[in-house]
Every structure is written in C-alpha cells, then in structure tokens.
Amino acid sequence: HKAGVFLSDSLTRTIFQILEAPDAVVGHVEYPCDSNNPYTCWNMEAFNSSVKSAERLKSGRKKLLVAGFVRDPLEMVASAYCYHHDGQEMSNQLFPVKEIMQMGLEKGTELTAETLLPLAEWMASVFEHPDEDTLRLELDDLTKSSAGFDSGVQRLLDHFFGTGTDLISKNDRFLITETAKLADENRNPQATQAFNGSTSQIVEHGSDPVCKEVAHSI
C-alpha cells in the first residue's frame, strides 16, 4: 500500500533529478490530484486505463510509456489496516482512519478491504493486460532482495530509455542505478522513512511486520 507509492515516487524523482529534467519538460497531468505543483502531478490514485487512453490521444505521435507497481491485494489490505490502525497518517482522506484505529483485526481488515477495493480496481485496470508500452513491476520482486530491486530498476530504465545510449548515457544510468539503491529497504533500513510536509517530521511509511502477518491470515 504505502511502500509502492513511496518507492515509485522515489525512483521517478531520482531519474528526473539525475537527468536534470525541469518541471516544464516533465509535464503536467491534467486530472484531479493532490499536487500543488503547477507543472508536475504525481497522480497516484487517479490513473487508470481510461486516463491512459486519454493521455495517449493527447500525446499524438509521441510515444506514451507507462510503468507501475502491482502488489498482492491481500498484502495491501493487511498493510493498509496495520498502517492506519497505528494512526500513522491521521490526515488521510481516502480511509476512515479514526474508525480503523478503534477496530480489531477482523472488522478492521474488512473495512479496509471495502475501502481499498474500488481504488485497487481503478488503478489495476492499467496493468491487468499490459501492452508493449506498459511495464508491470511486481512490488514483491523489488522488496524481497537487493538483487530483485536492482533487476527491477534496470527493467524500469530499459523500458523508458532502451538498452542503448541513444536516450541515456552510461554515466547517467550508472548514477541513477547507484542512487536508487538508497530506496532499497534491504540495503537501507531508513528507506521506510519519509518526510511529512504537513507536520515537518520524519515518519515511517512501513507497517508493523507482525501485525501484517496476522492481518494477512484473517
């Protein structure tokens, strides 16, 4: 749930920053989102197959490449329940956080699943039957081991830039690959931490592993 959002954001920002891509080049997604940035919209909950089709029409002759993470839905429910039951994001408007905090495992995971299902169906439509311009990455493959993480990063770079040096230099690919390792939880335990702009504090975006294991068994 949160892990995929933060990892996707981290890897994308790493690529843009090392390539020194200005906001005007990155572009703007003209669909509802929470971004206050006038140029770049990190569209996490609103992107689906319909939006993809609309963006493809707008792109004209330009190729539209899409990449994203998918995750075991039951694992997402367990993670989301434990995360919100712990009150880690009180300002979240997608989940009834205060209710979940007061619920036990059975009712809490049920409510979390009911809340998460329409969001998951909305977003998963892009990756259910991916075409050649859409890269589906399994989040578990990147989080289980550093080798899997590195392989996933290379697949992402190959998808966007190809395997040659026409679109990206060897040096930039190397810098992105090395910098991206900071987001690998197996190498860097602090990768589960993020800056909360609303509270100006460093917070955990991971869920308690014991809680997740029990919630997943419900």
Side-chain angles (χ1 to χ4, degrees):
H1 132 273
K2 279 293 174 182
V5 172
F6 278 93
L7 181 56
S8 177
D9 182 87
S10 176
L11 292 179
T12 305
R13 289 180 186 274
T14 295
I15 293 171
F16 289 160
Q17 288 170 358
I18 289 178
L19 295 181
E20 298 181 349
D23 287 335
V25 175
V26 173
H28 175 60
V29 179
E30 297 174 357
Y31 291 89
C33 67
D34 299 327
S35 176
N36 293 317
N37 188 313
Y39 298 110
T40 305
C41 175
W42 303 97
N43 207 330
M44 295 178 291
E45 282 90 24
F47 195 79
N48 69 352
S49 57
S50 297
V51 174
K52 177 184 174 183
S53 296
E55 286 296 315
R56 179 163 283 168
L57 286 174
K58 285 169 55 181
S59 66
R61 294 183 179 181
K62 295 180 180 179
K63 196 171 187 178
L64 178 70
L65 298 175
V66 174
F69 296 114
V70 295
R71 189 179 185 185
D72 177 349
L74 295 181
E75 184 68 19
M76 286 183 65
V77 170
S79 175
Y81 165 75
C82 295
Y83 181 83
H84 292 299
H85 181 71
D86 206 25
Q88 291 196 51
E89 193 176 334
M90 297 299 297
S91 61
N92 189 293
Q93 297 180 4
L94 295 174
F95 288 85
V97 178
K98 292 183 179 180
E99 292 181 50
I100 293 174
M101 288 178 67
Q102 303 300 319
M103 292 180 170
L105 281 166
E106 188 169 344
K107 290 187 177 181
T109 51
E110 182 178 354
L111 178 58
T112 301
E114 291 174 353
T115 305
L116 190 60
L117 180 60
L119 285 174
E121 289 181 333
W122 175 271
M123 294 182 287
S125 60
V126 178
F127 303 103
E128 186 175 6
H129 302 292
D131 56 31
E132 62 180 9
D133 294 335
T134 302
L135 176 64
R136 168 177 169 155
L137 290 169
E138 303 288 340
L139 181 65
D140 289 341
D141 290 344
L142 276 81
T143 56
K144 283 182 178 179
S145 69
S146 292
F149 181 92
D150 293 344
S151 175
V153 170
Q154 291 306 314
R155 287 184 63 201
L156 182 64
L157 293 176
D158 289 347
H159 179 65
F160 284 147
F161 307 109
T163 57
T165 56
D166 291 341
L167 298 178
I168 187 173
S169 68
K170 288 183 178 180
N171 185 59
D172 282 343
R173 180 183 279 267
F174 173 78
L175 290 175
I176 291 171
T177 300
E178 291 303 304
T179 305
K181 291 177 181 179
L182 293 173
D184 177 14
E185 297 178 12
N186 294 289
R187 291 187 175 100
N188 177 24
Q190 292 183 334
T192 60
Q193 297 178 343
F195 179 75
N196 186 322
S198 62
T199 62
S200 297
Q201 295 179 331
I202 301 296
V203 297
E204 286 284 337
H205 65 72
S207 304
D208 179 78
V210 176
C211 177
K212 284 195 295 184
E213 184 177 354
V214 176
H216 193 280
S217 66
I218 298 297

